[in-house]
């Protein structure tokens, strides 16, 4: 075998498990040139980069980046962050990925793309922070956010001539509603609008919205991507280069990109994304089965339940069902006492990490959501949300049992 053949073979990355660890060969080679062959990509903890000189063909008015060795200032770009962005773009089959300081920073950056008077149709069941952000931006900057339950209502009834984007999560937080990406990407494109999907709950390991026509993927990198409850991060991934360039310039302008050390933490987390998610999902199925037999649990929400309304769409657009479960207890008192009685599972507000966490959405993630929206989404004071980690399943089941029964 010639060297070229070997290189090509190594460059052809097809499987997601490999994509979590390696970039194509030419990218890798550049990486090794810059890092002495370090296996773990180094943290370039620097604010600025030395310039080798001024280019001979420099003309006044040119972007000063043309003077530098590729990097200029970490608000604009940084090798550690760039490496992470390439890896996330690869995992989501996107053209450009931007690593931001949080999921909310990523969503806020995207909102800068729109103008006062533009309409964004948003699904009614969303992460509480997104609902709050949209309410604030709607009121302060005149972007018109129109809520629509995309699992049952037709958004064409509410689309105006300033309709610019449709925004949803699938599965949703916390009710695990499933939204058909292909259907709403087409709906948006037919009207010259963008389709934006928050893919936090499944991560690119289980779902790639861009493959189904979405234009922008949003991630809270705090969750499954970093996976260890130790950093806050967010991502935007886009298909269109021009939109990517626009968002990149906005990111440089507003200054909300991810810091090098945090980028490195996410890089470390992404390496084990596939094994963590396989294990967490395996645990989730066992827990769902146990919860369905639990006398004090009245309903279990998990898109992997065959009789659940979104099951067929999940089978179409996702490769797995994830590790997020919500369930309803028989009384509000039991929901509240369960939170303090769990011993292995931690009562805390986040998700997607190796440790299992339980939350009370109505008082935590969704505390700022108006009561009528909660009612419409069926989010009651008896619903708990469980982010399943990678512990032994029987320990988690025993822990839930003792907490629910005592
Ligand atoms: C957590 C979360 C966010 C916000 O991300 P942060 O990293 O906390 O800013 C957005 N969307 C979903 C679905 C989330 O779970």
């Amino acid at each position: 075998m010639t060297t070229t053949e070997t290189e090509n073979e190594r460059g052809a990355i097809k499987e997601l498990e490999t994509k979590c660890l390696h970039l194509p060969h030419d990218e890798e080679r550049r990486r090794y040139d810059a890092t002495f062959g370090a296996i773990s990509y180094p943290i370039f903890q620097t604010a600025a980069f030395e310039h080798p000189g001024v280019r001979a063909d420099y003309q006044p008015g040119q972007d000063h980046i043309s003077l530098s060795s590729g990097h200029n200032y970490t608000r604009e770009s940084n090798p550690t962050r760039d490496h992470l962005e390439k890896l996330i773009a690869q995992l989501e089959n996107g053209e450009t990925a931007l690593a931001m300081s949080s999921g909310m920073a990523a969503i806020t950056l995207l909102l800068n793309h729109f103008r006062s008077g533009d309409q964004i149709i948003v699904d009614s069941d969303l992460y509480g922070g997104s609902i709050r952000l949209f309410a604030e931006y709607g009121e302060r900057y005149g972007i018109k956010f129109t809520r629509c339950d995309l699992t049952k209502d037709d958004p064409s009834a509410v689309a105006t001539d300033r309709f610019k984007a449709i925004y949803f999560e699938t599965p949703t937080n916390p009710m695990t509603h499933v939204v058909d990406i292909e259907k709403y990407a087409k709906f948006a494109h037919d009207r010259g609008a963008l389709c934006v999907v928050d893919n936090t709950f499944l991560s690119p390991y289980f779902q790639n919205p861009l493959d189904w026509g979405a234009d922008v993927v949003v991630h809270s990198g705090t969750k499954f991507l970093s996976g260890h409850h130790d950093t806050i991060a967010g991502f935007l991934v886009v298909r269109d280069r021009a939109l990517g360039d626009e968002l990149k310039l906005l990111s440089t302008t507003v200054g909300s990109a991810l810091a090098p050390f945090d980028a490195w933490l996410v890089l470390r987390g992404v390496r084990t994304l596939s094994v963590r998610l396989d294990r967490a999902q395996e645990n989730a199925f066992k827990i769902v089965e146990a919860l369905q037999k639990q006398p004090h649990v009245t309903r279990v929400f998990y898109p992997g339940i065959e009789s659940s309304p979104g099951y067929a769409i999940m089978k179409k657009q996702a490769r797995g069902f994830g590790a997020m479960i919500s369930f309803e207890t028989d009384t509000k008192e039991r929901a509240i006492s369960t939170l303090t009685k769990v011993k292995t599972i931690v009562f805390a507000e986040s998700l997607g990490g190796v440790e299992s966490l339980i939350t009370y959405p109505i008082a935590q993630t969704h505390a700022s959501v108006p009561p009528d929206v909660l009612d419409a989404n069926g989010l009651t004071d008896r619903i708990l949300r469980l982010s399943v980690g990678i512990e032994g399943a029987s320990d988690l089941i025993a822990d839930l049992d003792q907490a629910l029964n005592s």
Side-chain angles (χ1 to χ4, degrees), residues 219-337:
H219 277 288
S220 168
T222 313
K223 316 293 170 56
F224 290 102
L225 285 171
S226 60
H228 293 75
H229 301 306
D230 57 9
T231 189
I232 303 281
F235 293 92
L236 290 178
V237 193
V238 301
R239 269 194 305 151
D240 180 66
R241 177 164 295 191
L243 179 60
D245 290 348
E246 182 200 326
L247 293 169
K248 174 78 188 160
L249 183 62
L250 279 169
S251 163
T252 297
T253 306
V254 305
S256 47
L258 192 62
F261 179 62
D262 296 291
W264 183 84
L265 281 172
V266 183
L267 273 171
R268 188 170 66 167
V270 170
R271 286 188 185 138
T272 54
L273 182 69
S274 65
V275 284
R276 283 188 286 108
L277 281 181
D278 281 343
R279 175 54 171 275
Q281 175 173 259
E282 194 182 310
N283 284 349
F285 270 100
K286 291 178 184 162
I287 291 168
V288 164
E289 207 186 311
L291 286 174
Q292 285 174 326
K293 293 187 198 128
Q294 234 298 327
H296 301 297
V297 170
T298 46
R299 285 194 293 169
V300 182
F301 306 95
Y302 180 63
I305 298 172
E306 277 186 45
S307 59
S308 71
Y311 187 77
I313 301 170
M314 283 296 284
K315 288 294 275 187
K316 177 182 87 163
Q317 69 190 19
R319 291 176 290 269
F321 300 96
M324 296 302 300
I325 302 168
S326 291
F327 60 96
E328 188 180 63
T329 55
D330 48 3
T331 64
K332 173 186 170 185
E333 290 67 33
R334 194 177 309 276
I336 293 172
S337 71

Side-chain angles (χ1 to χ4, degrees), residues 102-104 107 127 169 173 198 200-201 220 222-223 232-233 351:
S102 70
M104 294 318 298
I107 303 168
Y127 173 68
E169 300 165 6
N173 180 1
D198 182 333
T200 299
F201 263 36
S220 168
T222 313
K223 316 293 170 56
I232 303 281
L351 64 101

Side-chain angles (χ1 to χ4, degrees), residues 11-68:
I13 296 179
K14 293 198 191 77
E15 302 224 47
L16 271 162
E17 289 82 352
T18 320
K19 287 182 180 177
C20 292
L21 294 153
H22 296 287
L23 289 169
H25 183 71
D26 57 334
E27 293 286 354
E28 294 263 90
R29 192 167 43 199
R30 234 172 279 149
R31 165 187 131 174
Y32 281 120
D33 285 350
T35 63
F36 305 101
I39 302 302
S40 162
Y41 196 95
I43 309 167
F44 285 89
Q45 191 65 47
T46 182
F49 298 83
E50 184 181 6
H51 301 311
V54 177
R55 275 167 47 166
D57 59 354
Y58 170 74
Q59 295 292 326
Q62 271 183 354
D63 192 332
H64 61 283
I65 193 80
S66 61
L67 308 181
S68 78

Side-chain angles (χ1 to χ4, degrees), residues 110-274:
L110 180 65
L111 293 186
N112 286 294
H113 168 76
F114 301 96
R115 287 165 209 278
S116 174
D118 286 352
Q119 183 198 33
I120 304 179
I121 297 178
V122 298
D123 188 30
S124 47
D125 190 34
L126 292 176
Y127 173 68
S130 303
I131 295 177
R132 184 170 61 217
L133 175 69
F134 296 158
E136 286 292 328
Y137 265 58
E139 195 187 308
R140 288 168 196 264
Y141 306 117
I143 298 176
K144 192 166 167 23
F145 293 93
T146 310
R147 222 169 45 232
C148 181
D149 183 343
L150 297 177
T151 60
K152 41 179 204 277
D153 299 331
D154 179 5
S156 57
V158 293
T160 68
D161 58 357
R162 292 287 301 272
F163 169 55
K164 288 288 170 358
I166 191 160
Y167 183 105
F168 55 88
E169 300 165 6
T170 181
T172 64
N173 180 1
M175 301 305 288
T176 73
H177 294 162
V178 179
V179 180
D180 189 329
I181 303 168
E182 192 179 21
K183 175 175 160 187
Y184 291 113
K186 186 174 182 323
F187 169 83
H189 297 163
D190 284 350
R191 292 161 180 80
L194 298 174
C195 175
V196 185
V197 180
D198 182 333
N199 197 27
T200 299
F201 263 36
L202 287 184
S203 93
Y205 183 60
F206 285 137
Q207 180 170 270
N208 293 123
L210 300 184
D211 290 356
W212 295 97
D215 303 281
V216 183
V217 168
V218 171
H219 277 288
S220 168
T222 313
K223 316 293 170 56
F224 290 102
L225 285 171
S226 60
H228 293 75
H229 301 306
D230 57 9
T231 189
I232 303 281
F235 293 92
L236 290 178
V237 193
V238 301
R239 269 194 305 151
D240 180 66
R241 177 164 295 191
L243 179 60
D245 290 348
E246 182 200 326
L247 293 169
K248 174 78 188 160
L249 183 62
L250 279 169
S251 163
T252 297
T253 306
V254 305
S256 47
L258 192 62
F261 179 62
D262 296 291
W264 183 84
L265 281 172
V266 183
L267 273 171
R268 188 170 66 167
V270 170
R271 286 188 185 138
T272 54
L273 182 69
S274 65

Side-chain angles (χ1 to χ4, degrees), residues 8 53-54 77 87 100 117 131 180 244 253 366:
N8 285 346
V54 177
S77 72
L87 209 66
M100 312 303 298
I131 295 177
D180 189 329
T253 306
H366 289 63

